[in-house]
Amino acid sequence: MAEDKKGIGIMGGTFDPIHNGHLLTAQCAAYQHNLEKVIFVPSGNPPHKTEKKITDAQERYVMALLATMSNPIFDVSRIEIDREGLSYTVDTVREFKKIYPDRKIYFITGADAILEIFTWKNPEKLLEETEFIAASRPGYCLSQLGQKIYDSYRETIHPLQIPGLAISSTDIRARVEEGRPIKYQLPESIEAYIKKHNLYR
Ligand code: NAP
C-alpha cells in the first residue's frame, strides 16, 4: 500500500521579531495538515513594506534560527533574504515546488496578510499552485475575504485559529520601546538577542 505523502509547510512572515504565536501556529499547522516539516521563510525585501522601517533581514533570520533550533521539524530558509530586488510569494512557492516536486506545499501566514492576497503578484496562479493556511486570532472570520472569493477558495485557503496569536510582533516592538516586559511572549533566546543588539529602542 502506498504511504500517505506528508506535506511541506512554508511559514512566511516578516518575523520582526519571531514570537511564541508564530511557533505555536507552525506546530498546530503541522499537526492539522500532517506536515513533514515547516520551513520558516523570513521576508527579505517585502514588496508591500517599502515605506516602513524593518529590522535588517540578517538579524530577523538569526532570530528565526535561534527560536526554531530545538524543534526537529522546523527549518529556516534564506531564500527570500538572498533574493535580489522585491520578493514575491509566488516565486518562493515555485522554488520550493522544485525542491519538493512530489510534496504538497502549504503556505502558512497570517489571515490579515491573506486577506490582501488579491493585491499580491499573480494571485490566481498562486491560489492554483498552492494551498494556504490562514492563521488568525479566535473570533476572526475569513469570510471577510468576500463571500464569492471565500466560496471559490474554500478548498484552497484553510483557516487556523490560534489562541496564542494574541501575541503580536507590533506589540512586542512597542513594549520594548516603552520599556514594558516581553517575557513569555517569545523564547528567552530572542529576548536576550533583542537586548544585546539593542533592537526596537
Ligand atoms: P503582516 O502584514 O506583517 O502581518 C499580517 C498579520 O499576520 C499580523 O497580525 C501578523 O502578526 C500575522 N502574521 C504574519 N506572518 C505570520 C505567520 N507566519 N504566522 C502567523 N501570523 C502571522 O504580514 P507579512 O509578515 O508582511 O506578510 C506575510 C507573508 O505574506 C510574508 O511571507 C510576505 O512575503 C507575504 N506577502 C507576499 C506578498 C506578495 O507576494 N506580493 C505581499 C504581501 C505579503 P505578527 O506581526 O505578529 O507576525
Side-chain angles (χ1 to χ4, degrees), residues 10 47 58 117 127 172:
I10 306 302
Q58 183 60 25
I117 202 165
L127 284 157
I172 289 174

Side-chain angles (χ1 to χ4, degrees), residues 104-108 126 129-133 155-156 158:
K104 191 164 173 179
I105 301 287
Y106 291 84
F107 191 80
I108 313 163
L126 190 55
E129 290 178 22
T130 193
E131 302 210 6
F132 284 82
I133 298 174
E155 304 295 315
T156 315
H158 311 281

Side-chain angles (χ1 to χ4, degrees), residues 157-174:
I157 305 179
H158 311 281
L160 180 67
Q161 294 208 336
I162 305 289
L165 265 189
I167 302 170
S168 94
S169 299
T170 307
D171 180 55
I172 289 174
R173 293 195 302 272

Side-chain angles (χ1 to χ4, degrees), residues 15 21 33 49-50 52 69 73 75 94 99 108 117 122 130 151 157 160 162 165-166 168 185 187 189 200:
F15 303 127
H33 293 273
K49 286 192 177 162
T50 45
K52 281 198 195 165
M69 61 195 245
I73 68 155
D75 250 330
R94 284 177 184 167
I99 300 170
I108 313 163
I117 202 165
N122 288 349
T130 193
D151 287 343
I157 305 179
L160 180 67
I162 305 289
L165 265 189
S168 94
Q185 302 205 10
S189 56
Y200 315 127

